[in-house]
Amino acid sequence: ITSVGDESYDFYNLGTLDITPAVAERGHDYFINDKVVYVEYDACNVRAVVKGAEYYEVEFNLNNGKISCLVCNCPCSGICKHEFAVLLQIRSLIDEVYKIYGENYEFDYFAAVNKSIFYDFVLSDKDGGTLVIS
């Protein structure tokens, strides 16, 4: 499990992250290639799922522009590509919400599912199944 512990980082300046350029590039590739399949923002808690060799869970706190308690359940040490991809994805989503609703929008909760994952589920040939949104 990857964790940055008590450290905090500037959400609006990801250059402050303690991350190698190679890991940042791989995380950017994950972001660009829609590997972040689910993200949820609830008050100041962010949870996400990233599709890598398997599905990895990323969690962190986002409060007043500061990232803290950044954790991924992958075996890497330090900030990993999954965490970086999620940070890029959540920033992109927040930017989109601001474009649509303006700077006065107050974030309490939102969630997003990767559209290809959603379409695959909806259009699958399964006779039954469950989609749980919490």
Side-chain angles (χ1 to χ4, degrees):
I1 294 180
T2 310
S3 174
V4 296
D6 294 332
E7 298 175 53
S8 68
Y9 300 96
D10 184 353
F11 179 66
Y12 300 102
N13 182 5
L14 296 181
T16 63
L17 292 172
D18 184 17
I19 186 171
T20 67
V23 171
E25 184 176 335
R26 300 267 325 268
H28 184 262
D29 289 346
Y30 270 50
F31 165 67
I32 293 296
N33 291 304
D34 294 325
K35 298 289 187 176
V36 179
V37 297
Y38 175 77
V39 65
E40 174 185 359
Y41 177 87
D42 188 3
C44 65
N45 301 308
V46 177
R47 289 175 289 286
V49 177
V50 180
K51 184 179 181 191
E54 56 186 76
Y55 288 94
Y56 296 102
E57 297 175 28
V58 174
E59 294 185 29
F60 61 93
N61 293 330
L62 178 56
N63 197 5
N64 294 322
K66 294 292 181 188
I67 303 161
S68 61
C69 303
L70 185 59
V71 178
C72 179
N73 69 339
C74 78
C76 299
S77 61
I79 297 176
C80 68
K81 61 190 173 194
H82 311 110
E83 292 164 330
F84 194 69
V86 170
L87 292 171
L88 293 173
Q89 184 68 63
I90 195 80
R91 247 183 34 183
S92 175
L93 289 169
I94 288 172
D95 288 348
E96 285 299 312
V97 169
Y98 280 143
K99 282 181 194 175
I100 295 168
Y101 297 104
E103 293 289 327
N104 294 326
Y105 184 81
E106 290 188 32
F107 286 98
D108 290 332
Y109 177 86
F110 73 83
V113 177
N114 176 289
K115 64 183 172 187
S116 65
I117 297 291
F118 184 72
Y119 290 150
D120 287 348
F121 177 81
V122 171
L123 300 175
S124 68
D125 290 334
K126 297 177 185 175
D127 289 332
T130 304
L131 175 64
V132 177
I133 300 175
S134 60

